[in-house]
């Protein structure tokens, strides 16, 4: 018998992440490393814990192995609980067949049984590929105060960028009267963040109706939200004013890592009032050799720097050998950059080896694109990987 919960979270973490190319060839997008120590999924998971939500269903699908291993029993996030905690939810398997999630709404529909076992009055829907800190309990208070059927978190974006987002048009009291998916001529700049709080009874009703509609895309933005608006349901926006980044592209992933640097970083990982929890792998302290230098950089445990690192983020176990130069880079775990190598404006995935005197990428000051090396790549001594190239170890 499961104890009733006021609110549970359903975290959508099954997307393919195709715009991250080789970085998600072997890894689900929410499991991609970020900020030297973390994975992308650490941020919504930590938000749940810090917001007092202790029951989280993580819906996985594409390349789930690394993500499943990383989440484990949820202990690092204080979600290893008998009643509630974190549960990994793969696509539903019936007696005769199994079915992949066809869309965000179908993913939740396939896990209605998980929701119902806790009889929550409210269900929070989250995405697993955003970097941000948010107190969902505040959003829930507004939802209850307004007597809403659904509350959608919104972020003010520049008007010239609004056509890239799903836009919510609202009345002065925050109630939503219209939703437009990537409108050519947006009426407002209230961009949907893909974060929803539903009254659970209403959510299940609309999920079942959506599943029965053969013409539906089974998507919250395209189907569930418009259908609720058309039926006159009480729907409100919740304005979020903090840092938020969708890291679904190579450029945005690089930019979000760079936002961590500087005297006054746009996103503060060191705020003890709102900890970001993660699965800790014990590593020795990072070490600088006698000729090692680092400027405006973040280095994680186990890094050994005998060369020069500038304006870069290094994950655990990275080795920068003597005479190597790293600039404007995001370097993931256990990468070795050998003597005399030069790496600029690049994202280098885990277990990659860059040979002696090799050159990877080129200065971003010259208008170059980001160079990307997938996990396990080997760059031979003296080789050059041109700016903007994307290499996969399988190629």
């Amino acid at each position: 018998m499961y104890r009733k919960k006021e609110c549970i979270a359903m975290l959508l973490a099954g997307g393919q992440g195709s715009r991250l190319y080789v970085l998600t060839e072997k890894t689900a997008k929410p499991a991609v490393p970020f900020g030297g120590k973390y994975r992308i999924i650490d941020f919504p998971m930590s938000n749940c814990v810090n917001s007092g939500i202790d029951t989280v269903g993580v819906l996985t699908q594409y390349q789930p192995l690394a993500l499943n291993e990383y989440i484990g029993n949820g202990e690092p996030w204080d979600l290893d609980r008998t009643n509630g905690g974190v549960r990994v939810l793969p696509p539903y398997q019936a007696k005769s067949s199994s079915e992949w999630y066809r869309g965000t709404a179908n993913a939740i529909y396939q896990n209605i049984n998980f929701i119902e076992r806790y009889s929550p009055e409210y269900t929070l829907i989250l995405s697993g590929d955003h970097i941000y800190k948010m107190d969902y309990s505040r959003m829930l208070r507004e939802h209850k105060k307004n007597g809403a059927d659904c509350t959608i978190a919104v972020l003010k974006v520049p008007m010239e960028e609004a056509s890239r987002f799903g836009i919510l048009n609202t009345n002065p009291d925050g109630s939503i009267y219209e939703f437009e998916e990537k409108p050519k001529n947006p009426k407002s700049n209230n961009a949907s963040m893909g974060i929803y709080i539903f009254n659970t009874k209403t959510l299940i009703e609309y999920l079942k109706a959506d599943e029965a509609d053969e013409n539906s895309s089974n998507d919250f933005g395209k189907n569930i939200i418009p259908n609720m608006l058309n039926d006159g349901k009480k729907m409100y926006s919740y304005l979020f004013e903090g840092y938020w980044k969708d890291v679904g592209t190579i450029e945005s992933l690089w930019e979000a890592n760079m936002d961590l640097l500087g005297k006054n970083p746009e996103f503060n990982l060191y705020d003890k009032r709102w900890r970001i929890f993660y699965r800790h792998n014990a590593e020795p302290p990072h070490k600088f050799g006698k000729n090692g230098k680092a400027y405006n950089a973040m280095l994680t445990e186990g890094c050994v720097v005998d060369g020069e690192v500038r304006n870069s983020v290094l994950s655990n176990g990275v080795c920068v050998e003597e005479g190597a130069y790293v600039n404007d880079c995001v370097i993931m775990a256990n990468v070795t950059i050998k003597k005399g190598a030069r790496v600029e404006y690049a994202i280098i995935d885990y277990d990659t080896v860059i040979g002696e005197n090799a050159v990877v990428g080129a200065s971003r000051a010259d208008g170059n694109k980001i160079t990307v090396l997938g996990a396990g790549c080997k760059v031979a001594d003296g080789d050059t990987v041109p700016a903007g190239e994307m290499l996969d170890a399988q190629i």
Side-chain angles (χ1 to χ4, degrees):
M1 192 70 181
Y2 294 94
R3 182 165 53 86
K4 177 179 173 62
K5 304 285 185 178
E6 181 186 30
C7 181
I8 69 167
M10 301 294 280
L11 203 165
L12 295 161
Q16 185 172 350
S18 58
R19 293 179 299 163
L20 289 177
Y21 301 98
V22 297
L23 300 180
T24 50
E25 282 292 327
K26 303 170 186 175
T27 305
K29 180 165 60 171
V32 168
F34 178 81
K37 294 178 76 79
Y38 308 95
R39 304 291 181 106
I40 295 171
I41 198 170
D42 286 331
F43 295 87
M45 291 268 284
S46 297
N47 287 342
C48 287
V49 174
N50 289 321
S51 302
I53 296 172
D54 65 5
T55 304
V56 182
V58 179
L59 286 67
T60 63
Q61 179 164 269
Y62 176 80
Q63 293 285 17
L65 183 59
L67 183 59
N68 293 354
E69 290 178 343
Y70 184 73
I71 292 172
N73 67 353
E75 182 181 1
W77 303 271
D78 192 28
L79 290 173
D80 54 332
R81 302 175 182 229
T82 303
N83 187 67
V86 64
R87 294 290 183 273
V88 175
L89 304 172
Y92 176 77
Q93 186 168 1
K95 290 183 179 179
S96 58
S97 65
S98 62
E99 183 179 38
W100 279 50
Y101 296 141
R102 298 193 305 274
T104 54
N106 175 258
I108 304 299
Y109 170 82
Q110 288 196 38
N111 289 284
I112 285 176
N113 287 343
F114 175 82
I115 296 173
E116 289 181 331
R117 68 169 54 170
Y118 298 103
S119 303
E121 191 170 350
Y122 309 102
T123 300
L124 170 66
I125 309 294
L126 303 171
S127 175
D129 54 4
H130 299 150
I131 303 296
Y132 67 114
K133 297 178 183 179
M134 182 176 182
D135 189 345
Y136 304 133
S137 67
R138 293 184 180 181
M139 183 175 173
L140 180 58
R141 283 198 296 270
E142 286 295 309
H143 178 85
K144 292 190 285 187
K145 176 183 174 183
N146 292 324
D149 294 298
C150 175
T151 298
I152 303 174
V154 300
L155 185 76
K156 296 283 187 183
V157 298
M159 202 66 190
E160 59 271 19
E161 297 180 15
S163 59
R164 295 174 41 227
F165 297 88
I167 296 298
L168 297 167
N169 298 318
T170 61
N171 297 307
D173 65 351
S175 59
I176 302 167
Y177 67 84
E178 185 179 31
F179 175 78
E180 298 180 287
E181 182 66 29
K182 298 181 179 179
K184 290 184 178 180
N185 299 300
K187 300 173 185 176
S188 76
N189 61 343
N190 294 324
S192 171
M193 297 170 66
I195 298 172
Y196 315 108
I197 292 179
F198 289 93
N199 291 348
T200 302
K201 183 178 179 180
T202 303
L203 171 64
I204 291 175
E205 173 190 340
Y206 275 84
L207 287 176
K208 289 181 176 179
D210 179 72
E211 189 66 19
D213 182 358
E214 295 181 356
N215 298 316
S216 175
S217 300
N218 304 125
D219 184 84
F220 277 98
K222 295 177 182 178
N223 306 109
I224 301 294
I225 302 305
N227 288 344
M228 290 182 68
L229 280 170
N230 290 339
D231 290 345
K233 293 296 182 180
K234 293 186 70 174
M235 306 185 73
Y236 281 81
S237 63
Y238 174 79
L239 181 61
F240 176 72
E241 297 180 309
Y243 178 92
W244 179 87
K245 194 85 165 184
D246 182 339
V247 287
T249 66
I250 293 295
E251 290 76 13
S252 62
L253 178 62
W254 183 88
E255 288 170 0
N257 274 275
M258 294 300 110
D259 286 343
L260 303 175
L261 304 175
K263 291 183 178 180
N264 297 298
E266 290 190 52
F267 189 68
N268 182 11
L269 290 175
Y270 302 98
D271 185 356
K272 294 181 180 180
R273 296 169 298 178
W274 196 271
R275 284 188 57 198
I276 304 299
F277 300 89
Y278 60 97
R279 180 169 293 282
H280 178 65
N281 292 315
E283 293 273 3
H286 60 263
K287 176 184 176 183
F288 286 89
K290 62 180 180 180
N291 296 315
K293 300 176 183 177
Y295 305 89
N296 192 41
M298 291 182 67
L299 283 73
T300 315
E301 298 99 328
C303 289
V304 177
V305 178
D306 287 299
E308 183 174 337
V309 177
R310 289 181 176 270
N311 203 51
S312 296
V313 175
L314 275 58
S315 295
N316 56 290
V318 172
C319 179
V320 181
E321 294 186 358
E322 187 174 353
Y325 178 75
V326 177
N327 183 41
D328 284 333
C329 289
V330 177
I331 311 293
M332 297 181 186
N334 301 315
V335 169
T336 298
I337 301 170
K338 293 193 171 181
K339 293 181 180 179
R342 188 177 187 91
V343 187
E344 292 199 75
Y345 197 31
I347 298 178
I348 312 297
D349 208 352
Y350 67 92
D351 290 343
T352 290
V353 177
I354 298 172
E356 292 186 12
N357 300 309
V359 176
V360 176
S363 172
R364 65 175 172 136
D366 297 328
N368 293 302
K369 292 185 177 180
I370 301 171
T371 305
V372 183
L373 303 186
C377 279
K378 311 291 183 186
V379 179
D381 294 352
D383 271 8
T384 296
V385 180
E389 285 285 310
M390 289 194 183
L391 297 185
D392 188 345
Q394 297 175 343
I395 297 175

